[in-house]
Amino acid sequence: MNWEHIILGNRLNMDALPHEWFTIGGTFGFILLPIAAVLLLGKIKGWKWLWGEWFTSVDPKRIGIMYMIVAGFMLLRGGLDALMLWLQQALGSSNMPGFLGVQHGYLSADHFQQIVTAHGNIMVFFVAMAFIFGLVNFIVPLQIGARDLAFPFLNTLGFWLYVAGVLMVNMFFAVGGQYAATGWLAIAPLQGKMFSPGVGVDYWIWSLQISGVGTTIAAINFIVTIIKMRAPGMSMWKLPLFTWGSLCSMCMAVAVFPLLTATLFLSFFDRYLGTHFFTIAGGGDPMLYTSMIWMWGHPEVYILVLPAFGVFGEVVSVFSRKPIASYVTAVLGMIGVSSLALSVWVHHFFTMGSGADVNAFFGLMSMVIAIPTAVLMYVWIATLYKGRIRFSVPMLWFLGFVWTFTIGGVSGVMLGIPPVDFQLHNSLFLVAHFHSNVVGGVLFGIFCGINYWFPKFAGFRLNERIGRNAFWFWIVGFSLSFIPMYILGLMGATRRLDHYDASTGWQPLYVVMLIGGLTIAIGVALQLAQILASVIERKRLADTTGDPWDGRTLEWSTASPVPEYNFTHIPTVSTRDAFWEMKKKALAKQKFEDIHAVKNTSAGVWISAFAFLAGFGFVWEITWLWVVSLAAIVISIVMKAFNEDSEYVIPAADVKKMEAERLAHKPKAPTAAEADSAEDMSVWELVKWLMAYAMEVVRTKRWRKL
Amino acid sequence: MPKKRPQHRPGSLARAMILGIIALLLLYAILIHGHNIAVLNPKGLVAREQMGITLFAAILLLAVAGPTVGVLYFMAWKYRETNPKATHDPELQANKLYLVAAWGIPAVFLAVLSVAMWITTHKYVPQQAIAAAAKPMTVEVVALRYKWLFIYPTQGIATINYVQIPADTPVTFDLTADDAPMSGFWIPNLGGMLYAMTGMVNRLNLIGQTLGSYEGRSSEITGPGLADMKFTAQVSSQKDFDNWVQDTQLDNGPLTDAGYQSLLKPSENNSAAFYSSYERGLYAKVLMKYMGADSMAGMNMDGMR
């Protein structure tokens, strides 16, 4: 009897530990660094604060902020992957002398394909989805005048399952093995054990599976919240656009994420139990996998983009100082997109060889779904018309989005035509298309939303000046890195190539793409600088009114930062732009009331930790580990279900006291002249400030206090 | 000392942006000058017709999207806060006529495109033989890890990563795969693209009309050998083709069963190889391996590896 085999399973051993430069680097960068950051935070602010007030929090605002912090960190990881890919391709011409003595760039084909896969998974699942969930968590309850979500515990569970997925996707750094080298959707039969025998695809399955279950749970939660928890008077036709976009998106998520779960389970059965759902032997059907994964995969991009459309709708209206030009049209446009989203998936595999009628039908649906999207553009034009437009940073992101998303939309409709797709499918033209939409639509929408709602998150607005700089680096970087991709696609360059012949003439464009990537990296660095500069100047940038942009929806009617209970009084809504109406009429003073709140719970953290361990057991085929972990999950859920002591009441007197205290500590509003004449800190001023601060720390030896 | 907030000048910004876009396009034009823009450089009927619908769609869509985006940016510029001449109507809603246009304009353009899409999709079905004066020819293609095997059933020869076809002759590529993940068969200059999968035949009809040598590749990820899983498609005159077949039969050895078994082993960066003949029924055997009762025998393949 070999104990090592029983404890570690057949696959895990000492050889798996990190020993290559990228696994060692990844272990430091993506596992040890976050752990150190958490430890430092706990040391400075106290463990009780970190665990009791944040990690176990059921407050959607705190969960939203945690989503966005993890997503921001993963954006850096995914972005680093992108730069590594661009660098490889820029050096990847096979006639060039090898870089550092290595032929074909500096990465092996296998390693390159692992990065391709990780980049796609991370950006879609752990960046875009998480940012969207962060925004939805924070903003939707505020917009509908609710104090909490319908199922506060499910919210914390969903978040921690997402974190478990994030850990799983980075786990190969520390524990070894490799990541999947299969492309982001791990198309069958390449994902089967015959072609991918290592643990990479298992990591892929379980990181998506665990976080996907979290997504399903969260989506159900938001649908119920939006349907059931609206403030009195807020009918469905008075919902703010962002809430509408989120509702459409979450409905789609509930429809398709179970499909992803099922597909991943079947893949897992193929790999772990030796079944033959998607294999090429034993009567398996790989084409079934393609169909199932895209039936989820296509709606997924709409799940991401609809909340972004909602953000833009709000921003255009507020920064034009006009209501949205046709609310009904905008909402119908979003409902139209989401109801058609499940009928276009076959356009991802026209090249699999269906007949002309099948291809033409799905081509037609792909044309039809472009109409409601285009209509939104016209609604925005009419909203701008006769407005008084302020070019604040959120508005800049909207204007940038218009250009990138239109390019992506035009190329997308082209690819929806089967004969065009035959020539451009799986070429870089396709890659450029979806990056235009996912970067230019989703990510720009997220940046727009973060700049717009930051006063709500933190109590002060973001630095406008550095924000503008960041925007311009992003836009220029985007044009340099993705427009050449279209051209390369027309030249016949296929995706995921780690090297190519110099005679193709592709290299100059790949180099331009690398330059564009570096430009975007500067944009990201400036965004981090923007946040830092805003924190430094938080007193001057403080949002003392709770309504810095002259907003129209309910989230602006409460204080910034938002109190724990969101609203001291649940507002009564009579019109669409509810807060705009309230501002026009004076608000009547109301009496404070008792507020029911939900106690924080650590069950979400534990269940997710066990889910992670179970996934780890499945990846490495450690039987005892997944058996014990699954049992622990069941026990945790049962224990949580029997815990009746989950609520508490904030008495009216305490609410009054807290409100008074908040008013007393409210930062002094800068005078109008101050606010108008002073320009925000520039990057150079920030650098000077940081150097002075560092000198100060060195001089006073302040680190000793830590 | 707080600095004065600078005035926004969207006008000069717009000029700078337009200049920037022109400069970028010029840069890209210089960078690709003299190289093969394969999709826009068709060498056969299929690629030419596919280029036609590609350009039609691009022009039609840009004709509607371009002005729309232009109007949006114009509105944003005209109604800027700092423009004293612009009127502000804080309650203005879009009128009915505008909304009809908002739904109507994209609907009309996309309806036109849909008709074109429907017609071209039914006209250029990859599985359908191309009508031409010359007698059609079949090439059987097997995607392997990571190379392409071409079998000429009429000529009795086989090649690796090289396919020669006579000009103006419709060619039917019967695509399948053996022991390989799904691969994408694409010759951009001649037209594309279908997947090659085990246990089935995907039929792709192409024709080469301009003499020359064109690159073909695998468009779907298959593993570490992906980047070099490419082949040369040589379009030659009928006479040169016949000579080439004869030379291939004379100068090379046969593809034996053992030889095929070694081809099944994964190998990267394979150069072209030629075989004077191959075991009869090879292609059918490759197909049958994954079909019917035979596939049951493959049940233990995962375990064997």
Side-chain angles (χ1 to χ4, degrees):
Chain A
M1 181 159 284
N2 189 337
W3 283 104
E4 195 195 315
H5 273 250
I6 293 174
I7 295 171
L8 294 179
N10 291 328
R11 300 173 109 184
L12 189 57
N13 53 47
M14 283 303 157
D15 296 341
L17 288 179
H19 54 273
E20 281 155 300
W21 62 270
F22 56 94
T23 46
I24 295 169
T27 306
F28 275 103
F30 302 110
I31 293 177
L32 296 180
L33 193 70
I35 291 175
V38 169
L39 289 178
L40 191 68
L41 204 60
K43 183 101 175 54
I44 294 172
K45 303 280 274 186
W47 290 105
K48 226 173 152 185
W49 173 83
L50 193 64
W51 176 260
E53 292 187 35
W54 283 90
F55 285 3
T56 60
S57 176
V58 293
D59 182 349
K61 297 182 288 296
R62 300 214 152 160
I63 291 175
I65 285 177
M66 288 192 289
Y67 260 120
M68 286 190 272
I69 290 172
V70 182
F73 185 69
M74 290 317 282
L75 176 67
L76 300 181
R77 158 87 210 272
L80 194 63
D81 286 345
L83 285 179
M84 287 176 76
L85 299 179
W86 271 321
L87 181 62
Q88 164 71 17
Q89 291 185 317
L91 301 172
S93 164
S94 52
N95 291 15
M96 246 184 65
F99 180 77
L100 295 181
V102 191
Q103 259 197 323
H104 304 328
Y106 69 109
L107 296 172
S108 71
D110 181 56
H111 186 193
F112 177 84
Q113 287 166 357
Q114 287 182 44
I115 301 174
V116 168
T117 311
H119 168 74
N121 291 146
I122 285 170
M123 286 304 198
V124 171
F125 287 89
F126 303 118
V127 177
M129 279 303 268
F131 267 127
I132 294 291
F133 271 121
L135 287 177
V136 172
N137 251 302
F138 202 104
I139 299 302
V140 163
L142 290 171
Q143 284 199 328
I144 63 174
R147 290 211 169 106
D148 206 337
L149 294 186
F151 309 115
F153 162 65
L154 288 189
N155 198 18
T156 162
L157 179 60
F159 169 71
W160 286 104
L161 285 175
Y162 155 72
V163 173
V166 167
L167 278 178
M168 191 65 84
V169 90
N170 286 304
M171 214 50 214
F172 74 96
F173 283 134
V175 185
Q178 67 284 79
Y179 196 61
T182 51
W184 78 289
L185 284 185
I187 288 300
L190 179 60
Q191 54 140 275
K193 256 203 163 150
M194 180 178 175
F195 299 117
S196 304
V199 291
V201 176
D202 301 291
Y203 274 129
W204 177 85
I205 288 176
W206 286 100
S207 65
L208 267 55
Q209 188 68 294
I210 294 172
S211 65
V213 169
T215 303
T216 312
I217 293 175
I220 294 171
N221 201 354
F222 285 114
I223 294 174
V224 178
T225 304
I226 295 172
I227 305 279
K228 299 292 287 183
M229 307 271 286
R230 282 166 288 145
M234 181 174 274
S235 65
M236 291 306 277
W237 287 103
K238 294 194 185 92
L239 284 185
L241 286 179
F242 176 67
T243 304
W244 256 119
S246 307
L247 179 61
C248 293
S249 152
M250 297 302 151
C251 286
M252 278 190 285
V254 168
V256 297
F257 263 82
L259 199 56
L260 174 71
T261 308
T263 314
L264 292 174
F265 264 127
L266 296 183
S267 308
F268 164 66
F269 293 159
D270 276 1
R271 291 181 62 84
Y272 197 83
L273 304 175
T275 57
H276 290 281
F277 289 102
F278 306 134
T279 56
I280 53 176
D285 187 358
M287 291 195 290
L288 178 67
Y289 178 88
T290 313
S291 193
M292 285 177 76
I293 200 79
W294 279 117
M295 220 168 173
W296 159 82
H298 193 86
E300 164 70 8
V301 295
Y302 291 113
I303 290 171
L304 294 173
V305 87
L306 278 181
F309 284 167
V311 175
F312 291 129
E314 310 258 342
V315 163
V316 171
S317 159
V318 166
F319 288 89
S320 306
R321 294 197 178 92
K322 272 182 70 194
I324 194 86
S326 177
Y327 172 88
V328 176
T329 312
V331 172
L332 285 180
M334 292 197 281
I335 294 177
V337 170
S338 57
S339 48
L340 293 171
L342 257 169
S343 55
V344 294
W345 83 98
V346 171
H347 71 206
H348 292 272
F349 45 94
F350 284 146
T351 49
M352 214 144 82
S354 309
D357 285 332
V358 171
N359 282 352
F361 171 77
F362 284 95
L364 182 66
M365 292 315 288
S366 313
M367 309 281 118
V368 173
I369 203 169
I371 298 174
T373 319
V375 166
L376 288 172
M377 209 61 95
Y378 288 91
V379 173
W380 290 324
I381 293 176
T383 309
L384 294 169
Y385 176 68
K386 295 207 174 172
R388 275 183 73 75
I389 300 159
R390 283 168 289 175
F391 291 93
S392 302
V393 176
M395 195 65 186
L396 289 185
W397 283 112
F398 165 73
L399 294 171
F401 146 85
V402 168
W403 127 261
T404 53
F405 195 80
T406 305
I407 295 178
V410 165
S411 55
V413 174
M414 285 170 67
L415 286 168
I417 301 170
V420 178
D421 186 70
F422 289 145
Q423 269 292 47
L424 291 171
H425 186 65
N426 273 351
S427 73
L428 284 182
F429 190 90
L430 174 94
V431 180
H433 150 67
F434 67 73
H435 278 90
S436 298
N437 287 3
V438 178
V439 175
V442 181
L443 207 55
F444 283 16
I446 288 163
F447 294 153
C448 175
I450 290 175
N451 275 281
Y452 178 54
W453 282 309
F454 201 84
K456 285 289 142 198
F457 303 157
F460 50 92
R461 69 172 172 80
L462 279 177
N463 181 309
E464 287 265 309
R465 197 164 166 188
I466 304 178
R468 283 198 297 270
N469 298 342
F471 166 80
W472 284 112
F473 272 95
W474 260 98
I475 277 289
V476 172
F478 177 91
S479 311
L480 287 171
S481 54
F482 292 106
I483 305 297
M485 229 182 239
Y486 285 108
I487 302 171
L488 279 172
L490 292 172
M491 293 173 91
T494 48
R495 65 200 294 195
R496 299 158 180 154
L497 290 182
D498 57 294
H499 66 268
Y500 46 84
D501 271 355
S503 61
T504 51
W506 299 342
Q507 193 169 27
L509 289 173
Y510 275 122
V511 172
V512 171
M513 276 158 60
L514 174 66
I515 294 168
L518 292 170
T519 313
I520 292 178
I522 297 173
V524 173
L526 284 170
Q527 284 174 310
L528 294 176
Q530 181 194 18
I531 294 172
L532 188 60
S534 315
V535 172
I536 292 168
E537 283 198 297
R538 61 189 174 279
K539 289 226 174 72
R540 197 178 68 74
L541 301 175
D543 169 25
T544 51
T545 59
D547 180 23
W549 312 114
D550 204 2
R552 314 178 73 87
T553 40
L554 285 178
E555 74 268 30
W556 304 109
S557 71
T558 184
S560 297
V562 185
E564 180 195 347
Y565 37 81
N566 285 5
F567 301 94
T568 48
H569 314 99
I570 294 292
T572 306
V573 177
S574 57
T575 53
R576 230 163 243 160
D577 289 348
F579 181 50
W580 189 255
E581 204 63 25
M582 288 175 190
K583 277 194 275 192
K584 286 205 279 187
K585 302 178 200 145
L587 273 175
K589 264 228 183 293
Q590 279 170 298
K591 269 177 65 180
F592 289 106
E593 55 191 11
D594 289 358
I595 292 172
H596 289 267
V598 181
K599 280 187 185 165
N600 288 351
T601 169
S602 57
V605 181
W606 293 123
I607 293 174
S608 305
F610 292 131
F612 172 80
L613 289 176
F616 192 80
F618 286 130
V619 170
W620 290 98
E621 301 180 357
I622 308 172
T623 313
W624 69 267
L625 182 62
W626 63 257
V627 171
V628 170
S629 305
L630 288 184
I633 292 175
V634 174
I635 293 169
S636 310
I637 292 176
V638 171
M639 276 169 64
K640 168 69 186 143
F642 279 100
N643 180 8
E644 303 265 327
D645 176 34
S646 62
E647 291 183 19
Y648 69 103
V649 172
I650 311 173
D654 285 9
V655 177
K656 195 174 170 186
K657 215 165 77 191
M658 278 192 262
E659 284 295 298
E661 205 167 307
R662 200 165 51 75
L663 285 177
H665 285 100
K666 203 157 122 169
K668 214 170 80 223
T671 62
E674 258 176 8
D676 266 359
S677 67
E679 175 70 320
D680 293 348
M681 190 186 256
S682 71
V683 182
W684 303 122
E685 282 161 358
L686 173 68
V687 171
K688 274 190 271 178
W689 189 96
L690 286 177
M691 283 163 70
Y693 182 80
M695 293 290 282
E696 173 82 10
V697 169
V698 171
R699 204 167 47 79
T700 57
K701 301 184 174 159
R702 226 197 292 168
W703 65 82
R704 286 186 186 170
K705 273 193 227 157
L706 266 179
Chain B
M1 182 64 187
K3 276 175 229 99
K4 194 92 182 96
R5 186 191 283 258
Q7 283 293 306
H8 278 292
R9 286 185 302 274
S12 60
L13 194 62
R15 272 196 295 281
M17 281 185 66
I18 291 167
L19 280 178
I21 290 169
I22 292 171
L24 267 190
L25 290 179
L26 263 178
L27 171 73
Y28 297 150
I30 292 166
L31 289 184
I32 61 176
H33 180 73
H35 290 290
N36 179 12
I37 319 291
V39 174
L40 305 180
N41 185 17
K43 301 295 182 191
L45 178 75
V46 178
R48 194 158 55 244
E49 287 180 335
Q50 283 168 341
M51 178 187 76
I53 177 71
T54 304
L55 291 179
F56 175 77
I59 291 166
L60 188 77
L61 288 166
L62 289 175
V64 60
T68 308
V69 172
V71 168
L72 192 143
Y73 283 135
F74 174 75
M75 289 297 170
W77 171 72
K78 168 122 195 256
Y79 294 101
R80 66 194 184 275
E81 191 177 43
T82 49
N83 183 2
K85 278 182 272 179
T87 48
H88 178 215
D89 186 345
E91 295 301 324
L92 186 70
Q93 290 282 298
N95 64 25
K96 281 221 176 66
L97 191 67
Y98 182 80
L99 291 181
V100 169
W103 287 95
I105 294 173
V108 166
F109 274 84
L110 286 165
V112 172
L113 192 60
S114 295
V115 172
M117 181 276 297
W118 196 274
I119 293 170
T120 51
T121 304
H122 282 84
K123 199 170 156 197
Y124 321 128
V125 184
Q127 293 88 340
Q128 236 163 49
I130 298 163
K135 198 163 152 279
M137 174 183 135
T138 297
V139 177
E140 293 163 343
V141 184
V142 185
L144 301 168
R145 268 183 299 169
Y146 303 97
K147 55 219 166 246
W148 295 96
L149 171 67
F150 296 93
I151 301 171
Y152 288 75
T154 321
Q155 289 77 10
I157 56 168
T159 59
I160 290 283
N161 283 353
Y162 179 90
V163 61
Q164 186 157 341
I165 54 173
D168 297 316
T169 304
V171 183
T172 304
F173 290 97
D174 279 348
L175 310 174
T176 191
D178 193 4
D179 262 10
M182 186 163 78
S183 310
F185 182 88
W186 189 27
I187 311 170
N189 283 101
L190 298 186
M193 161 207 308
L194 283 183
Y195 287 152
M197 291 172 282
T198 48
M200 69 183 82
V201 180
N202 237 346
R203 190 156 283 177
L204 178 66
N205 286 283
L206 297 174
I207 185 168
Q209 290 169 309
T210 311
L211 303 189
S213 142
Y214 312 112
E215 187 163 89
R217 18 186 81 251
S218 173
S219 65
E220 183 60 84
I221 186 166
T222 45
L226 171 73
D228 287 318
M229 193 173 163
K230 51 186 199 251
F231 59 93
T232 307
Q234 180 81 42
V235 180
S236 66
S237 68
Q238 183 70 46
K239 198 168 148 256
D240 286 350
F241 176 75
D242 292 338
N243 288 340
W244 171 75
V245 169
Q246 223 163 42
D247 291 349
T248 305
Q249 282 164 341
L250 290 176
D251 299 348
N252 300 283
L255 174 59
T256 57
D257 189 47
Y260 183 72
Q261 292 308 320
S262 68
L263 281 180
L264 279 181
K265 293 196 193 99
S267 60
E268 295 173 25
N269 200 8
N270 299 278
S271 41
F274 304 90
Y275 303 98
S276 62
S277 68
Y278 58 89
E279 302 235 329
R280 286 287 135 183
L282 173 62
Y283 190 73
K285 220 163 86 187
V286 167
L287 279 175
M288 286 316 293
K289 190 167 161 188
Y290 301 95
M291 280 180 180
D294 281 3
S295 67
M296 289 305 164
M299 287 282 279
N300 296 323
M301 273 170 61
D302 286 1
M304 274 158 60
R305 289 184 58 78

